[in-house]
Amino acid sequence: MPTSTLIILLLAVSSALYYFGRQRSLAVAGGEIRKLHSLPSYYGYYAALWCLLPALAVLLLWNGFESKVITTLVVNGLPAEVRNVDDARLGLMINDIRNLATGGVVSARPDPAMQTAASHYQDLQNISRAALAVVALVIASIGGFLAWRKIATGHRARNKVESIVKGFLLSSSTLAIFTTLGIVLSVLFEAIRFFQHVSITDFLFGLSWSPQMAIRADQVGSSGAFGAIPLFVGTMLISFIAMMVAAPIGLMAAIYLSEYASRRVRAIVKPVMEILAGIPTVVYGFFAALTVAPFLRDTGSMIGLDVSSESALAAGLVMGIMIIPFVSSLSDDVINAVPQAMRDGAYGLGATRSETIRQVIIPAALPGIVGGMLLAVSRAIGETMIVVMAAGLSANLTANPLEAVTTVTVQIVTLLVGDQEFDSPKTLAAFALGLSLFVTTLILNIVALHVVRKYREQYE
Amino acid sequence: MDIAMNTTEALMSPDSTDATSVHKPVRDAVGSPLLDATDARMTCRNVNVYYGEKHAIHDVSLDIGKNEVIAMIGPSGCGKSTFLRCLNRMNDTIEGCRVSGQIQIDDQDIYDKSIDVVPLRAQVGMVFQKPNPFPKSIFDNVAYGPRIHGLAGNRTDLDEIVETSLQKAGLWEEVKDRLDQPGTGLSGGQQQRLCIARAIAVSPEVILMDEPCSALDPIATARIEELIDELRSNFTIAIVTHSMQQAARVSQRTAYFHLGDLIEVGATEQIFTNPTHKLTEDYITGRFG
């Protein structure tokens, strides 16, 4: 029986138990709900959950170990002379057996030993499926029946159901944390492998970035330089330009929207800003590469400046425009969180609107605004698509926004695009860069959240 | 342009804040909302307020006498706070709020198009229900008004204004050694007195108080009530309160509002001992509200 059918069957059984549980609770109470500790539906959920959860747990575990157990059994059943090969060959063979069993494409013409193994594999799998179905259904029935029997007027079904629900909520919230942890660890281990080839100080403080490596021994190639400073500088330069655009415009937009705009203007402008936030960054990317960069180059040549066709300025400007809605919506929230009493106090003293904003509202909202800006910076540092398309690949160590620079994210992309071998420092460098990027944005986010939280405490 | 200038000057002129004038109890106004012209500091005629479609105040006519404390009482939602906020146009900040009728100070209609709210609010100050000091130092809180209105020529003047305001608000002794500390760090009662000092610092003629003690404990309340009584010699005070005892303690005249109507106004003593209107009597005696 396929797993999906089994799950549907289990759901059906547990729905039945919901019904029976509910009925039983009504029966033991003699139809008077008031006598019950919990509402009848809780008794229903109680029975249904006890039926469903253990069976699902068994199902998960079974699926986790099934293929391993079957493979071991099949390999042990193979003739000894076929079995005694190195691990890589054995792996290929097992793959072939599996493919034979499921009717897929096999690498070589199957010999009789393989054919027997494949049918053995298939038999075992069928047995396992059937056994799983039986076991799961039996467990579901037993669990459901035991729960059903426990139902009595004083039975605290609500508390038990709610604690299970709480468990679900808890596991959902920790899922994201564990995923983050997994990502960090995977990046960390690859980065450590990189640092076995290149020292940390060379990486963090080296001034030259040229990750070309000789792939084969006979190849003539540069030995590779992994100094990340040009990338960090490029990233900071572009982020700085982006914030120069986004911070004032976003903040002023937020001030207008929260303090000046009438309800009607706000109802139109805010959603439009949010549309700006919804444009895919790749679209911003070709806007930067095909419209802004040539425009800057042409304008530059008109006034006698040498602007390269892929410049930090173009990428930074467009990235700034991309971040504007982010800054303005965060600032808008913070400004709106300033209590109305502050405004009343200032207006009541005869302050004008601009005096109130400059002298009362902005100072009160400043910590939150700074927090929002820091979040925007970490967004700018991590932004990839715009810089890939508009900033260029040459790792120039320069502070001139008219030249092409490259960023950490761009290098990660170029290092990992195409065919890779994962034992060369060239590829592993991407993970070291990813780790440094992660650490930077993590620190920025922690600081930003801390600042924002501190501000919140001030009023509540 | 000329008119606007004149108006501003008229509003700014402190001619009628005569601190030395002896307070004259307004006993002769019993039963009538209108005082004779010489005593009225603000005159309101046929004031109507609408919030969108809702007609919140119906045709209220009321005079606010010079150097008196007038209390406005009534059940929740009766429009007393709305009416109070009309007196310095604080309702302007509420979207969809519309005021008709006439409210005059110094023979100027404050809702006239040529009137600038900035000098008006300097002339008619306000203290709010919840103490709302700015997240600045105690000094800067009090100095805020004088600074934006340019009342102090130099630092010495400003120091003096801050000191006298805090003294009038009865807060000087408690805070004189920590003027640079944040105003939000004071206790609730001190914060409210700081807000009163802040309002006094721009030397208004009228101070509006919107339930100034509702967020305070009884001791702080007693302190503020004492203060209101002291302030009466220099300022005209209109106070909205939910506490009838408070109205009886601090005010000379009391106005009773009910569902947007001004039901009765008269000397406080008369309102509380011998109300003429049935609704007032019911409210005073605690039959509803």
Side-chain angles (χ1 to χ4, degrees):
Chain A
M1 186 187 298
T3 315
S4 52
T5 319
L6 184 57
I7 288 177
I8 290 171
L9 212 66
L10 284 175
L11 284 174
V13 173
S14 66
S15 330
L17 266 151
Y18 172 81
Y19 176 76
F20 290 131
R22 201 172 175 281
Q23 290 306 108
R24 183 174 161 89
S25 73
L26 285 173
V28 295
E32 275 188 79
I33 295 174
R34 288 181 48 173
K35 281 189 186 162
L36 288 169
H37 169 268
S38 315
L39 285 173
S41 58
Y42 280 107
Y43 291 99
Y45 286 124
Y46 176 70
L49 286 171
W50 264 106
C51 159
L52 192 60
L53 292 182
L56 279 182
V58 167
L59 187 74
L60 271 180
L61 285 176
W62 196 292
N63 273 334
F65 291 105
E66 184 187 38
S67 106
K68 207 158 209 167
V69 172
I70 291 179
T71 309
T72 322
L73 286 175
V74 169
V75 169
N76 287 341
L78 282 174
E81 69 277 9
V82 187
R83 186 160 26 120
N84 288 333
V85 289
D86 62 76
D87 281 354
R89 292 284 304 272
L90 196 64
L92 277 177
M93 216 152 64
I94 292 164
N95 222 9
D96 275 352
I97 292 170
R98 257 188 223 144
N99 283 345
L100 265 180
T102 51
V105 184
V106 283
S107 60
R109 220 164 56 81
D111 58 40
M114 299 281 268
Q115 292 282 17
T116 7
S119 63
H120 185 201
Y121 188 94
Q122 216 161 12
D123 289 344
L124 284 175
Q125 202 165 28
N126 288 340
I127 292 169
S128 147
R129 296 276 106 184
L132 170 60
V134 172
V135 169
L137 286 173
V138 166
I139 288 179
S141 317
I142 292 175
F145 177 71
L146 287 179
W148 181 79
R149 275 213 10 207
K150 270 184 124 179
I151 292 171
T153 48
H155 185 242
R156 295 149 68 94
R158 172 167 47 77
N159 308 37
K160 285 177 182 160
V161 171
E162 277 172 359
S163 67
I164 292 176
V165 171
K166 204 171 90 187
F168 269 125
L169 298 178
L170 180 74
S171 54
S172 316
S173 67
T174 46
L175 188 69
I177 297 174
F178 284 120
T179 313
T180 315
L181 210 64
I183 293 172
V184 173
L185 288 179
S186 73
V187 173
L188 188 67
F189 286 128
E190 300 294 340
I192 288 172
R193 283 179 63 195
F194 170 74
F195 288 125
Q196 285 164 356
H197 294 276
V198 178
S199 82
I200 292 190
T201 45
D202 282 356
F203 173 73
L204 287 180
F205 303 111
L207 296 181
S208 150
W209 176 265
S210 149
Q212 267 51 264
M213 293 288 283
I215 292 174
R216 290 191 314 275
D218 58 332
Q219 222 172 14
V220 186
S222 58
S223 59
F226 293 96
I229 288 286
L231 310 189
F232 294 149
V233 170
T235 307
M236 279 194 281
L237 179 63
I238 290 180
S239 306
F240 178 74
I241 296 170
M243 289 312 291
M244 281 295 106
V245 175
I249 297 181
L251 184 58
M252 287 190 274
I255 289 173
Y256 174 73
L257 283 180
S258 58
E259 297 296 317
Y260 287 95
S262 70
R263 203 173 295 169
R264 269 183 54 201
V265 173
R266 200 179 148 89
I268 296 166
V269 175
K270 248 200 128 162
V272 173
M273 295 274 274
E274 272 149 24
I275 289 173
L276 203 59
I279 297 175
T281 55
V282 66
V283 176
Y284 278 111
F286 60 68
F287 176 64
L290 301 182
T291 311
V292 177
F295 171 77
L296 288 176
R297 191 192 50 212
D298 296 347
T299 319
S301 67
M302 234 189 301
I303 57 172
L305 280 174
D306 187 23
V307 184
S308 79
S309 55
E310 289 181 321
S311 65
L313 189 61
L317 285 178
V318 175
M319 197 194 280
I321 291 170
M322 184 197 81
I323 303 175
I324 286 173
F326 191 69
V327 172
S328 89
S329 107
L330 281 174
S331 310
D332 191 38
D333 289 348
V334 179
I335 290 174
N336 275 328
V338 174
Q340 181 62 30
M342 290 293 120
R343 295 180 181 87
D344 282 347
Y347 291 140
L349 285 171
T352 64
R353 198 174 278 200
S354 78
E355 282 165 344
T356 307
I357 291 166
R358 274 185 291 117
Q359 296 162 357
V360 176
I361 295 176
I362 296 294
L366 196 60
I369 291 173
V370 170
M373 294 292 175
L374 289 179
L375 288 178
V377 171
S378 75
R379 181 92 200 269
I381 291 176
E383 169 52 36
T384 310
M385 224 44 231
I386 294 175
V387 279
V388 166
M389 296 170 84
L393 291 174
S394 51
N396 289 329
L397 182 55
T398 175
N400 181 357
L402 304 180
E403 278 182 48
V405 295
T406 191
T407 69
V408 175
T409 48
V410 170
Q411 288 306 315
I412 293 177
V413 170
T414 47
L415 290 174
L416 291 182
V417 166
D419 293 335
Q420 304 303 332
E421 49 172 348
F422 273 78
D423 50 2
S424 129
K426 181 189 172 210
T427 314
L428 292 174
F431 294 97
L433 288 175
L435 186 68
S436 56
L437 200 61
F438 177 82
V439 170
T440 316
T441 49
L442 183 74
I443 292 172
L444 274 174
N445 283 5
I446 290 173
V447 172
L449 289 177
H450 180 75
V451 168
V452 171
R453 192 171 311 148
K454 203 173 158 194
Y455 158 73
R456 292 245 162 87
E457 284 165 0
Q458 207 173 327
Y459 289 115
E460 284 153 22
Chain B
M1 192 62 200
D2 260 346
I3 299 167
M5 290 274 286
N6 288 340
T7 317
T8 315
E9 274 166 27
L11 279 170
M12 291 292 283
S13 70
D15 59 341
S16 38
T17 25
D18 193 357
T20 53
S21 77
V22 184
H23 170 71
K24 178 179 158 224
V26 207
R27 299 280 182 223
D28 48 341
V30 176
S32 157
L34 312 179
L35 300 163
D36 65 74
T38 50
D39 263 355
R41 194 69 202 82
M42 293 185 87
T43 56
C44 312
R45 295 290 177 274
N46 307 100
V47 176
N48 285 281
V49 181
Y50 306 85
Y51 290 123
E53 292 296 297
K54 195 182 166 236
H55 194 174
I57 298 223
H58 320 148
D59 250 350
V60 169
S61 295
L62 179 67
D63 282 357
I64 294 170
K66 196 171 169 184
N67 291 65
E68 74 165 347
V69 176
I70 179 165
M72 298 171 190
I73 59 171
S76 297
C78 67
K80 54 195 188 309
S81 284
T82 299
F83 180 72
L84 191 78
R85 291 170 68 95
C86 290
L87 298 178
N88 70 345
R89 291 185 55 175
M90 280 302 283
N91 282 338
D92 289 14
T93 58
I94 298 169
E95 216 164 317
C97 178
R98 196 158 53 78
V99 179
S100 73
Q102 204 182 38
I103 301 177
Q104 284 192 329
I105 184 165
D106 294 326
D107 296 325
Q108 280 286 337
D109 186 352
I110 64 168
Y111 277 90
D112 195 88
K113 279 199 170 53
S114 63
I115 288 281
D116 186 3
V117 293
V118 168
L120 168 70
R121 287 178 189 157
Q123 199 179 9
V124 183
M126 186 149 192
V127 175
F128 297 87
Q129 184 168 3
K130 233 179 103 186
N132 58 347
F134 302 132
K136 300 170 184 285
S137 72
I138 293 172
F139 184 91
D140 286 341
N141 262 287
V142 183
Y144 185 80
R147 276 186 180 139
I148 58 172
H149 294 295
L151 300 185
N154 51 44
R155 178 72 194 199
T156 332
D157 286 357
L158 192 61
D159 285 343
E160 202 182 305
I161 292 177
V162 169
E163 183 176 340
T164 43
S165 307
L166 283 169
Q167 266 165 353
K168 280 187 198 158
L171 194 61
W172 176 250
E173 288 304 319
E174 291 159 60
V175 301
K176 65 179 175 193
D177 300 322
R178 46 172 174 152
L179 290 175
D180 54 344
Q181 306 267 309
T184 41
L186 298 172
S187 74
Q190 287 174 324
Q191 287 190 11
Q192 194 61 300
R193 275 181 279 147
L194 178 64
C195 293
I196 292 175
R198 188 175 69 182
I200 295 172
V202 291
S203 37
E205 295 163 36
V206 182
I207 302 176
L208 310 175
M209 297 188 174
D210 190 355
E211 300 182 37
C213 302
S214 64
L216 305 181
D217 65 59
I219 293 171
T221 301
R223 191 80 188 75
I224 302 267
E225 286 178 5
E226 225 171 89
L227 176 61
I228 291 172
D229 205 49
E230 288 162 20
L231 293 175
R232 183 157 59 93
S233 54
N234 292 320
F235 306 95
T236 296
I237 294 170
I239 178 170
V240 162
T241 176
H242 260 130
S243 152
M244 278 176 277
Q245 291 86 338
Q246 184 170 64
R249 281 192 298 261
V250 301
S251 70
Q252 283 75 55
R253 279 205 310 154
T254 298
Y256 174 67
F257 284 77
H258 187 83
L259 296 177
D261 287 306
L262 175 62
I263 302 296
E264 185 172 358
V265 57
T268 300
E269 216 179 271
Q270 174 254 321
I271 292 277
F272 281 97
T273 54
N274 189 21
T276 43
H277 203 286
K278 182 79 172 64
L279 279 170
T280 320
E281 191 184 332
D282 287 351
Y283 183 70
I284 302 288
T285 51
R287 225 158 285 170
F288 71 90

